[in-house]
Amino acid sequence: TVDCILEKARQLVRRRGVRILVVDPLNRIDQQLEPGQTELQYITSLLNKLSRFALQHKCLVILVAHPRKVNRNTTNSELRRVEMNDINGSANFGNMADFCFTVDRNDAKEIVTIYIDKVRFKHLGSANTCAKFVYNRINGRYWPCEEDIVHRADGDKPGPVNTVFDNENWLKNITEESCIFD
């Protein structure tokens, strides 16, 4: 339950100095609605508990919530971009959150796009922006990229058309760099 998670997190804050709590995913938490309580009321209560915990313990609380089934565009039958109001259960996720990010994975292009949908405090960032990344299967990291360009420390390279090719270059570059430092 949420109360059990928050109690364990309180202990970790006191004993270990933990400052970030990630609840992932929300749908795996045992949701115990009280008699007569609606799902909207439950989610509002849950978000209030998480907010109070964050303020009282000076922690960053990240809640991972999955969207409902996404509708396809009627014109070209592609999936539309997920938005914060698509989160399964309630629009209060977007309304009550200080920040709201959505992650969209395009398997065909092997690109992950992170959209910033909401920023409550404007001095901490701006909404309606996005960042694109490509996943490197060999080292398990995400690299910043655009549709056709991958930005790296040694310069821009052609984008993630074929990640196997990119991985081979990555391995070749690492071995060349290790030879330089030996």
Side-chain angles (χ1 to χ4, degrees):
T1 65
V2 174
D3 294 328
C4 179
I5 291 170
L6 292 179
E7 182 53 39
K8 294 289 183 188
R10 273 186 203 92
Q11 294 171 8
L12 290 171
V13 166
R14 289 186 190 123
R15 292 180 187 164
R16 307 257 181 194
V18 169
R19 291 289 169 236
I20 299 174
L21 170 65
V22 180
V23 180
D24 179 19
L26 174 66
N27 61 347
R28 296 297 298 258
I29 294 175
D30 187 15
Q31 299 182 6
Q32 299 175 343
L33 279 70
E34 296 177 15
Q37 187 180 34
T38 65
E39 186 178 19
L40 174 63
Q41 292 168 332
Y42 170 77
I43 290 172
T44 303
S45 170
L46 173 121
L47 294 173
N48 283 330
K49 285 180 184 180
L50 294 175
S51 293
R52 277 193 305 274
F53 179 87
L55 290 171
Q56 288 173 353
H57 296 91
K58 296 180 177 70
C59 289
L60 171 64
V61 177
I62 300 171
L63 176 65
V64 178
H66 295 275
R68 62 177 171 74
K69 188 173 183 178
V70 180
N71 299 329
R72 295 186 181 273
N73 288 336
T74 55
T75 56
N76 56 7
S77 75
E78 290 182 8
L79 291 176
R80 67 174 178 77
R81 177 176 97 70
V82 174
E83 298 172 346
M84 65 182 168
N85 290 329
D86 292 324
I87 298 172
N88 195 22
S90 173
N92 273 352
F93 287 110
N95 296 337
M96 295 178 70
D98 292 333
F99 299 93
C100 193
F101 302 90
T102 53
V103 179
D104 183 40
R105 189 178 71 214
N106 184 331
D107 292 331
K109 294 183 180 180
E110 297 187 9
I111 292 178
V112 173
T113 307
I114 301 187
Y115 296 94
I116 302 171
D117 288 332
K118 179 182 179 181
V119 178
R120 184 178 306 267
F121 308 110
K122 303 303 178 205
H123 66 284
L124 296 176
S126 60
N128 301 322
T129 58
C130 71
K132 295 184 183 221
F133 300 91
V134 62
Y135 182 69
N136 187 319
R137 294 173 196 261
I138 291 179
N139 65 8
R141 296 181 181 172
Y142 284 93
W143 292 92
C145 75
E146 295 173 10
E147 292 288 334
D148 300 322
I149 298 172
V150 175
H151 302 288
R152 296 190 180 153
D154 59 342
D156 295 343
K157 304 282 185 200
V161 177
N162 181 354
T163 56
V164 174
F165 177 76
D166 290 339
N167 287 336
E168 289 172 2
N169 284 339
W170 175 77
L171 286 173
K172 187 178 87 172
N173 291 338
I174 293 299
T175 56
E176 289 173 2
E177 289 173 4
S178 64
C179 293
I180 294 171
F181 295 113
D182 287 343

